[in-house]
Structure formats: structure tokens, C-alpha cells
Amino acid sequence: MDQMLSKLQPVALSLFRFITGLLLFQFGVAKLLKFPPGTMFEKVELFSLIGAAGALELVLGGLLMIGLFSRIVAFILAGEMAFAYFIGHFPKGFYPLLNNGSLAIAFCFACLYLATSGPGPISVDAAMGKR
């Protein structure tokens, strides 16, 4: 069983990278493009701290989805998520369950993992490396 699942590890890494990028991308779309309507980000302006975070999530989340410059993109996003947690959530209390910071922590460590493990075989980075 372990050998069978370990053969799927590279593809699972690519899928993990894509889904992490997609989830971050959706936050960028919500913050900057106001889609879908009715989210908590309707009043976010581009030239604000949350607007800058939205720009990072939109652009870098897209790059992460396709797997281009994956390691540096994931490292920057890990830093953004750590910054988001300590600026936006930690001042509201110590416990992530109570300060609503669990998602920021999960994204931070997911991106940190991707920065160290790379994009996986199904990515633009891997395709460019094969030439």
C-alpha cells in the first residue's frame, strides 16, 4: 500500500500546489475584482494594506496555479500569510480558533512547504526544466 501511494506523491504535490494557488487566487479575485458579490471584501480599495495583499494573492496565486517560479512565489506568499496573521489576527487574541487566524496559518505553512518541495512534475517550471 505504501509503495503504491508513494508513486502518486509527485502528482499529489502538483495538485496540492494548484489547489493552494487557486484558493489564494480566489481571495485576490474577491478583494480586487469584487467577485463574487456579497463578500466581506466589497469595500477593499487597491491602495490599502488589504488591497496590496489582494494584488499579491491574485498575481502570485495565478503563478502558483500554473507552477511558474513556484519556489520564490510560494516563499513570498508564506511571508504574506505570516504577515497577515501577525498584523490582522494575532492582535485579536492568542488562540487561532478565536482570532480567526487558522486559515492564514495553514496557508503560511502550505506555501512554506511548497517553497521547499518545489512545484511537482505537472508545472511550467518542470516543463521548462526538461528542455
Side-chain angles (χ1 to χ4, degrees), residues 32-79:
L32 298 182
L33 305 177
K34 313 297 185 234
F35 183 82
T39 67
M40 63 184 140
F41 303 116
E42 281 188 348
K43 298 186 192 276
V44 171
E45 295 184 23
L46 177 61
F47 295 105
S48 67
L49 195 58
I50 296 175
L56 283 173
E57 291 157 2
L58 185 71
V59 174
L60 299 183
L63 288 174
L64 201 58
M65 280 194 302
I66 65 171
L68 182 61
F69 309 121
S70 301
R71 288 182 190 264
I72 188 67
V73 163
F75 185 74
I76 293 168
L77 286 168

Side-chain angles (χ1 to χ4, degrees), residues 7-127:
K7 290 178 185 175
L8 297 174
Q9 185 179 4
V11 174
L13 175 60
S14 293
L15 183 62
F16 180 69
R17 185 207 73 248
F18 177 80
I19 295 299
T20 302
L22 179 63
L23 291 174
L24 287 163
F25 183 79
Q26 80 168 346
F27 278 98
V29 168
K31 291 173 185 171
L32 298 182
L33 305 177
K34 313 297 185 234
F35 183 82
T39 67
M40 63 184 140
F41 303 116
E42 281 188 348
K43 298 186 192 276
V44 171
E45 295 184 23
L46 177 61
F47 295 105
S48 67
L49 195 58
I50 296 175
L56 283 173
E57 291 157 2
L58 185 71
V59 174
L60 299 183
L63 288 174
L64 201 58
M65 280 194 302
I66 65 171
L68 182 61
F69 309 121
S70 301
R71 288 182 190 264
I72 188 67
V73 163
F75 185 74
I76 293 168
L77 286 168
E80 183 213 352
M81 290 295 108
F83 184 81
Y85 179 77
F86 284 109
I87 296 298
H89 299 282
F90 188 74
K92 296 176 186 173
F94 180 75
Y95 300 104
L97 188 62
L98 300 177
N99 68 21
N100 293 322
S102 299
L103 190 56
I105 293 170
F107 274 135
C108 177
F109 282 93
C111 289
L112 194 59
Y113 174 72
L114 289 169
T116 60
S117 65
I122 305 170
S123 65
V124 174
D125 287 340

